[in-house]
Amino acid sequence: MTLRNCPFHPMAADDPDLVCAINHAFVPGLLDGLGAPTLDATLAPRPGNCCVTLAAKPPSA
């Protein structure tokens, strides 16, 4: 899942590395809190989108 906009765009415009790192740390915590252990948050910055994408975790071996 690609998030279509950045929830922190005004701050990310000033310091994208810092803001994206914070967002990337926040989203996995959100997923844990929601009880969504099968989703993984990945840092994947692209212009015009949020820097974090969500995808299914690969199956455990």
Side-chain angles (χ1 to χ4, degrees), residues 1 24 27-28 31 36-43 52-58:
M1 173 187 298
H24 184 232
V27 173
L31 294 175
T38 60
L39 292 176
D40 193 24
T42 304
L43 188 59
V52 177
T53 60
L54 304 176
K57 282 187 180 178

Side-chain angles (χ1 to χ4, degrees), residues 2-52:
T2 300
L3 304 175
R4 299 201 52 148
N5 63 358
C6 174
F8 307 108
H9 181 73
M11 292 180 290
D14 291 336
D15 195 344
D17 292 336
L18 175 64
V19 174
C20 288
I22 292 169
N23 193 26
H24 184 232
F26 170 75
V27 173
L30 178 68
L31 294 175
D32 286 344
L34 291 172
T38 60
L39 292 176
D40 193 24
T42 304
L43 188 59
R46 288 181 316 276
N49 291 317
C50 179
C51 60
V52 177

